Amino acid sequence: MCEHIYIHIQIIQLSLSISLSLSMAAETASPLPSNTFPSQPTKITSIKTLAESPGLTSIPATYTFTPDLHGQVTSVPEGSIPVIDYSLLISGTPGQRSEIVHELGRACQDWGFFMVINHGVPQKLLSSILDGCKGFFDLAEEEKQEFKGNNVLDPIRSGTSFNVSVEKAFYWRDFLKVFVHPVFYSPTKPAGLSEISLEYSQRVREIARGLLTGISESLGLEGSYIDKALNLERGKQIFIANLYPTCPQPELAMGMPPHSDHGLLTLLIQNGIGGLQIQHKGKWVNVGTHSNSFLVNTGDHLEILSNGRYKSVLHRAMVNNKGTRISIAMAHGPSLDSVVSPAPEFLVSSKGDEPAAYIGMKYKDYLELQQSNKLDGKSCLDRVRISAV
Ligand code: OGA
Ligand code: NI
């Protein structure tokens, strides 16, 4: 009874905070006080333009983060990040398949992160889509502005940092975010991007669904469980291209701060320059470069659905002074109208009833909440966590 009241209060608080954050998002980006940082233009320029300013040897104060956000990085022994051979999941013998399902489960439990090899997407398509994104970032600023979007749920949005309307310091990053499923969108420029993006999105979505089938099985469920429960036929797929230009003071800048992703699985590729780090057992681990592999992380909605059995992984993007990095993160989530809560199958354990550790929330509301606020660790997930039970 007491628990019910508590949950009820949390829901009221949550809806209050959602409406608050939505009204914040509705405001336009507030210009920075120009007298505070004279080197910073009042309109926040793209990081590409800033990074290409002639003679740039230091970064403006507005892009500086204290060293504690950079933290200590551990190197893990070569080969310790889990690797999943996708071809065995799809066309292996029953024995090979069950071994891969087991490995997937272990990777989700121990790391929330794994690399996928033998996925069947041609290297040519991977390089074409990376080139297409480079072409987008190379467009003139005014052309990119056509795709800036006004609202966090607009199907095409391009911009800089993560959410400049709520950030005090900015990330060394430009982005393009496009909804590619269930309805496919694409910017109309540069020429050819739309066709490549459609093909790439479909191929990656197939792989994500294949992996989620294996992950369902690894949780002791039917292979199609997640697909059906979260209506993946109409699942939200978001294409996020990230540009991290060469930075003169990489030790002071941050590409993306520590965060977990919304949704179920994110599949990432990059242009041969590394920068992704994941948190493993409390330490930051360099992922490095792995051409021809997908770097996959589990998202908040897998954590919610599994009632915490598979935790979403914290990760961040570092910048460097060796070359411009482009990454493409493809996020796969439930359908926008799915209400995601812990599956009933996980509310019992060998010890008896297991309380739900998260309240249910519509994926659309979660997405809106996450995108309208600062990107900050697992703060969005914390808002649906039931801490008192
Ligand atoms: C993301 C992300 C990391 C990277 O887009 O959500 O975590 O290395 N990107 O670009
Ligand atoms: Ni991410």
Side-chain angles (χ1 to χ4, degrees), residues 173 240 242 244 256 259 261 266 268 270 275-277 297 315-317 325 327-329:
R173 166 199 189 227
I240 304 141
N242 301 300
Y244 308 101
M256 271 184 112
H259 68 280
D261 291 345
T266 304
L268 182 130
Q270 53 194 355
L276 176 64
Q277 293 180 346
N297 66 265
H315 55 285
R316 63 186 184 183
R325 173 168 184 250
S327 70
I328 302 173

Side-chain angles (χ1 to χ4, degrees), residues 32 77 89 105 113 180 189 243 290 317 323 347 381:
L32 287 172
L89 187 66
F113 186 84
V180 289
K189 298 172 194 172
L243 178 88
H290 302 270
L347 301 184
L381 190 64

Side-chain angles (χ1 to χ4, degrees), residues 3 6-7 10 13 307 355-359 381-389:
E3 281 167 12
Y6 179 79
I7 293 171
Q10 276 224 333
Q13 284 175 340
N307 206 32
Y358 312 85
I359 58 164
L381 190 64
D382 289 340
R383 292 166 98 140
V384 298
R385 208 187 290 280
I386 304 169
S387 44
V389 290

Side-chain angles (χ1 to χ4, degrees), residues 242-274:
N242 301 300
L243 178 88
Y244 308 101
T246 304
C247 176
Q249 293 179 298
E251 68 291 352
L252 298 180
M254 182 56 79
M256 271 184 112
H259 68 280
S260 60
D261 291 345
H262 57 79
L264 299 162
L265 286 184
T266 304
L267 277 70
L268 182 130
I269 59 168
Q270 53 194 355
N271 69 338
I273 296 183

